[in-house]
């Protein structure tokens, strides 16, 4: 091998190594928020060590050892918050969802709810709250137990979903919301789908946001499906997408069978 050929070989190897390092850097930059989200997911496996909950008029999940940054949530949701305010403690995001008709026009008088995130001075999340109206379709006890179930959930990165394993959880005794009370707060649904044993009430809520990334415009519209048992009028399932986060809760899976049997008798 001549000197010139040897030099070219060395240059080529260095060039390939540089391209590889650049590709790795781009890859890591693009998915670093997923790494922090995954680390937060791992914390869910030791829920009481890393989190606490507070339920009054609203529901708040508090992060004891926060990992994720405010920009991580924007990157995951592909949506900016409705309000982004500085606070003495750091920063506050608030996502406002307003009920809309079939033409995506806001219904008057307004029916709306919010999801709120707070961040400390290091820009790491410290709490995640849900407003009172949201608790009409996700009562505090069920919301807490569904969050606890994330600890054993399977991750679907492509669909941005978690499939919880409710078999590992201690069941709860609680009353399921009933259709008259839910409709009293949310108003008439956009559509009703009638099934053999259930009725599915469909609502649309539009997120107040700006600067939506091309290709993600549909994420601003939240379709919420509420499944009611025809015979009992109880809300048995809630499914929807809120700021890019898909949520599906089968309330009956969290109930203590003994308490259900007592109610039935």
């Amino acid at each position: 091998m001549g000197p010139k050929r040897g030099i070219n070989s060395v240059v080529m190897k260095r060039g390939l190594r540089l391209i590889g390092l650049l590709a790795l850097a781009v890859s890591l930059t693009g998915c670093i928020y997923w790494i922090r989200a995954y680390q937060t997911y791992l914390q869910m496996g030791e829920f009481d060590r890393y989190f606490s909950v507070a339920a009054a008029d609203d529901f708040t999940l508090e992060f004891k050892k926060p990992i994720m940054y405010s920009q991580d949530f924007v990157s995951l949701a592909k949506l900016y918050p409705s309000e982004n305010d500085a606070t003495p403690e750091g920063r506050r995001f608030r996502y406002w969802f307003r009920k809309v008709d079939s033409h995506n026009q806001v219904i008057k008088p307004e029916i709306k709810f919010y999801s709120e995130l707070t961040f400390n001075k290091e820009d790491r999340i410290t709490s995640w709250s849900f407003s009172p109206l949201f608790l009409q379709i996700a009562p505090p006890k069920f919301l807490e137990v569904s969050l606890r179930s994330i600890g054993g959930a399977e991750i679907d990165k492509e669909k941005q979903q978690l499939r919880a394993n409710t078999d590992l959880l201690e069941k709860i005794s609680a009353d399921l919301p009933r259709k008259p009370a839910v409709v009293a707060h949310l108003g008439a649904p956009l559509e009703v789908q009638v099934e053999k044993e259930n009725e599915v009430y469909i609502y649309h809520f539009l997120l107040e946001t700006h600067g939506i990334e091309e290709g993600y415009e549909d994420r601003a519209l939240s379709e919420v499906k509420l499944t009611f048992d025809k015979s009992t009028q109880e809300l048995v399932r809630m499914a929807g997408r809120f700021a890019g986060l898909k949520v599906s809760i089968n309330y009956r899976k969290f109930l203590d069978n003994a308490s259900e049997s007592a109610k039935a008798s």
Side-chain angles (χ1 to χ4, degrees), residues 3-265:
K4 186 174 181 180
R5 185 176 177 183
I7 292 172
N8 288 339
S9 177
V10 171
V11 171
M12 183 178 293
K13 287 180 179 178
R14 288 179 177 175
L16 290 173
R17 187 179 296 118
L18 178 60
I19 291 171
L21 289 173
L22 286 173
L24 178 61
V26 170
S27 174
L28 287 175
T29 302
C31 70
I32 192 67
Y33 59 86
W34 268 109
I35 294 174
R36 288 191 286 267
Y38 180 68
Q39 290 173 329
T40 302
Y41 156 78
L42 292 178
Q43 288 183 333
M44 288 285 185
E46 298 181 76
F47 190 90
D48 293 310
R49 177 181 177 185
Y50 293 104
F51 304 93
S52 63
V53 298
D57 291 335
D58 60 6
F59 178 95
T60 301
L61 175 69
E62 297 174 344
F63 295 69
K64 297 179 182 179
K65 296 184 179 180
I67 295 174
M68 298 182 69
Y69 293 96
S70 62
Q71 186 56 41
D72 294 337
F73 286 89
V74 175
S75 298
L76 285 166
K78 305 296 183 184
L79 295 167
Y80 289 97
S82 313
E83 300 173 9
N84 180 356
D85 301 316
T87 67
E89 295 76 25
R91 184 156 297 278
R92 186 202 71 172
F93 280 6
R94 180 171 283 189
Y95 290 87
W96 276 108
F97 300 85
R98 291 178 169 83
K99 184 182 177 183
V100 294
D101 60 21
S102 58
H103 301 291
N104 292 343
Q105 297 300 307
V106 175
I107 291 175
K108 300 293 184 179
E110 282 190 349
I111 296 175
K112 59 185 180 180
F113 65 88
Y114 65 79
S115 172
E116 182 175 285
L117 310 173
T118 61
F119 304 89
N120 60 22
K121 293 186 183 299
E122 287 72 46
D123 200 32
R124 293 182 185 269
I125 185 170
T126 54
S127 70
W128 192 346
S129 300
F130 301 88
S131 68
L133 183 64
F134 186 79
L135 301 185
Q136 297 300 319
I137 60 174
K141 283 188 177 181
F142 291 98
L143 193 52
E144 179 180 349
V145 74
S146 65
L147 287 170
R148 288 179 177 273
S149 71
I150 292 174
E154 297 177 7
I155 300 176
D156 188 329
K157 179 178 177 181
E158 182 178 345
K159 295 182 179 179
Q160 294 190 338
Q161 284 181 309
L162 294 172
R163 187 180 299 277
N165 184 356
T166 57
D167 295 333
L168 301 177
L169 286 174
E170 184 177 341
K171 306 298 182 177
I172 63 173
S173 297
D175 292 329
L176 292 167
R178 294 183 181 272
K179 185 169 69 174
V182 173
V183 173
H185 286 89
L186 295 188
L190 182 66
E191 179 186 349
V192 177
Q193 296 177 352
V194 180
E195 301 175 347
K196 184 178 179 180
E197 298 179 350
N198 302 315
E199 289 180 324
V200 181
Y201 277 39
I202 299 174
Y203 293 86
H204 282 184
F205 291 86
L206 190 64
L207 172 66
E208 179 188 333
T209 187
H210 64 89
I212 301 177
E213 186 177 332
E214 185 177 354
Y216 294 94
E217 293 85 357
D218 64 325
R219 290 197 178 189
L221 183 65
S222 298
E223 182 176 81
V224 180
K225 294 184 177 182
L226 306 178
T227 303
F228 296 97
D229 184 295
K230 281 184 180 179
S231 61
T232 66
Q233 299 287 289
E234 292 175 329
L235 176 62
V236 295
R237 182 188 294 271
M238 183 272 284
R241 185 173 64 187
F242 309 96
L245 176 66
K246 293 181 180 180
V247 177
S248 180
I249 305 176
N250 185 337
Y251 293 120
R252 281 179 171 162
K253 287 188 175 181
F254 296 126
L255 284 176
D256 179 15
N257 289 331
S259 63
E260 279 295 279
S261 299
K263 283 172 61 179
S265 61

